[in-house]
Amino acid sequence: MQTERFQIVPKLTPRDIAALSLPPGKSDALYFDHAVPGLAVRLRAGGRKSWIFQYRIGNKQRRLSLGSATALNAHEARKRAALLHAEVKLGRDPAGDKSAARSRANETFALVLPLFLARQKERLRPRAFVEIERHLKAHAKRLHHLPLADIARRDVAGVLTATAARLSGTSANRVRTSLSSFFSWSIREGLLDANPAAWTERREEVARNRLLTDDEVREIWAALRDDAYGDILRLLILCGARREEIGALRWSEVNVDHGLISLAPERTKNHRAHEILLSPPALAVLKSRPRLAWPDGSPCDLVFGRGGRGFADWAGSKADLDARIVAARQGAAKQASADVAEVQAMPAWTPHDFRRLISTTMHDRLGVAPHIVEAILGHVGHQAGTAGRYNLARYRAEKAWALALWGAQVEAIVTGTERKVVAFERR
């Protein structure tokens, strides 16, 4: 087996380096420069010559490449080797530090993120997991390419500022919480020494009170397509359910004959079973939905989407819908010979605003009792504490009546007609 040949020669000059050659039968040889301990020129088969620095840490011998002997002159090589020699004398391990730095550089935000999300998926409720996954994958995307150890507070602050400008201060605070959780987990895993989200600005939160007008509801409804997102929003408008309650709906939760959706405690925000009564227009939306199948042809229980959590393209579909609303406004402006340049987008709104609209309208315009409205929305304030231990009523008939009234109200809004009287049938 061919082995290295070690030689110590006088202080190497460019001429000496050019004249160096491998001894017969050797494929590798080291020629040490006597000026700096550990500095050598390494020759390998093929004629390549490079500077290396060799040293010992305990009983281990280490080598560190300094660069090509043709690109790095002897004077510069001695300066680098002298600094490394000083570090070794102080107990440092330059080669080990370089390897660790290279390893840490490969530990990017995007590479470590799946490990964190896998842990969170085990411990969080599905809805909470969806939120933290969206915060870190979408809103924090500008951090993905950065080595975890190189992420500074200013990088995190940039993400939060952009989120606040695009969405709201409240959204920025939620992203901040998710990032802080991720970095805290990284510290516990030994990947970080400090949390770069610490001391970033926490923005003032303003309670959301956006109340959609009848005209806005009409615009939204008219811009909906006959697709999954369109049907989801129609059901959210008609039922007052939470987004994930409909987006992740399963056929096994739907009783078409009784016009009823039954959600188990693990599917609700407050961990209580919840029943959603379906008005005639809401039931019509579900009856029109095609039954999905998996790639192997087996039936899919999910009503919307084939992913593990049902429908997923919330942001993209909402952006497309907003664009269609603007286009419709521009078309109306053209027909009215108005200035299209003056057309503005609808003020910021979210699907959750439908719940506020339903509550306000039922209380203010339809005469529905407050505890029935709360039951429709899946709130538990009216059945909390002692009252909740004694009052286990589900108010099916009352909720069905109220949602039928609301369904007729929606039909009147979207068609521009007066609401018709709705027959009430107790169940």
Side-chain angles (χ1 to χ4, degrees), residues 14-312:
R15 181 178 296 180
D16 294 331
I17 295 172
L20 293 176
S21 61
L22 285 171
K26 301 294 182 182
S27 62
D28 203 335
L30 294 177
Y31 292 89
F32 283 88
D33 183 287
H34 79 284
V36 180
L39 178 63
V41 171
R42 184 179 190 180
L43 271 67
R44 307 192 73 173
R48 184 182 177 193
K49 300 175 183 179
S50 59
W51 292 102
I52 65 106
F53 175 69
Q54 182 169 290
Y55 63 98
R56 282 188 173 277
I57 291 291
N59 60 354
K60 292 184 178 180
Q61 183 170 275
R62 302 275 204 186
R63 283 182 187 166
L64 198 61
S65 175
L66 304 182
S68 170
T70 57
L72 186 68
N73 62 47
H75 175 70
E76 188 62 31
R78 291 188 186 99
K79 284 174 61 177
R80 295 187 186 182
L83 291 174
L84 293 171
H85 179 67
E87 289 185 24
V88 172
K89 287 295 185 182
L90 293 173
R92 296 278 303 276
D93 181 6
D97 292 345
K98 184 177 181 180
S99 176
R102 186 183 300 113
S103 176
R104 292 173 79 87
N106 290 330
E107 291 171 347
T108 62
F109 187 105
L111 185 66
V112 176
L113 180 58
L115 303 177
F116 171 72
L117 292 178
R119 176 70 182 100
Q120 298 308 299
K121 194 169 186 178
E122 296 174 355
R123 54 181 294 273
L124 296 179
R125 292 184 295 107
R127 175 59 182 157
F129 176 76
V130 168
E131 288 299 304
I132 198 169
E133 182 183 42
R134 178 167 57 86
H135 293 161
L136 299 178
K137 282 189 172 182
H139 300 315
K141 193 170 185 178
R142 63 196 296 176
L143 302 179
H144 286 194
H145 71 285
L146 296 176
L148 203 59
D150 291 349
I151 296 176
R153 187 178 300 139
R154 66 181 297 172
D155 300 314
V156 177
V159 169
L160 301 181
T161 299
T163 303
R166 188 175 65 255
L167 299 175
S168 67
T170 300
S171 296
N173 288 341
R174 301 299 175 268
V175 173
R176 179 180 182 270
T177 299
S178 296
L179 282 168
S180 185
S181 297
F182 171 67
F183 292 132
S184 295
W185 171 84
S186 298
I187 292 172
R188 294 193 296 272
E189 293 294 312
L191 302 173
L192 279 179
D193 296 323
N195 188 336
W199 303 107
T200 52
E201 180 184 1
R202 182 174 180 81
R203 288 157 172 82
E204 182 179 356
E205 296 189 16
V206 179
R208 187 171 178 82
N209 58 3
R210 174 81 160 94
L211 186 63
L212 293 163
T213 67
D214 286 358
D215 287 340
E216 289 175 329
V217 173
R218 189 178 302 111
E219 284 186 275
I220 292 170
W221 191 281
L224 296 177
R225 289 174 174 165
D226 291 327
D227 56 11
Y229 187 70
D231 283 347
I232 288 172
L233 257 61
R234 290 184 184 95
L235 288 173
L236 293 179
I237 292 172
L238 292 165
C239 299
R242 294 182 175 90
R243 192 181 79 169
E244 292 302 322
E245 291 172 352
I246 299 300
L249 185 64
R250 295 175 177 273
W251 288 112
S252 54
E253 298 171 328
V254 180
N255 187 324
V256 175
D257 294 334
H258 290 82
L260 179 69
I261 293 174
S262 300
L263 300 179
E266 59 269 19
R267 283 270 283 119
T268 65
K269 183 178 180 179
N270 53 34
H271 303 290
R272 292 195 181 192
H274 179 48
E275 290 185 344
I276 300 172
L277 278 296
L278 298 169
S279 62
L283 191 58
V285 172
L286 277 176
K287 286 182 175 180
S288 69
R289 288 297 304 166
R291 297 296 180 107
L292 303 176
W294 295 108
D296 63 0
S298 59
C300 178
D301 192 33
L302 290 163
V303 179
F304 306 103
R306 297 180 179 83
R309 299 187 300 271
F311 188 80

Side-chain angles (χ1 to χ4, degrees), residues 323-339:
R324 292 197 299 275
I325 292 172
V326 171
R329 289 186 170 191
Q330 291 173 339
K334 285 182 180 179
Q335 287 186 349
S337 300
D339 187 357

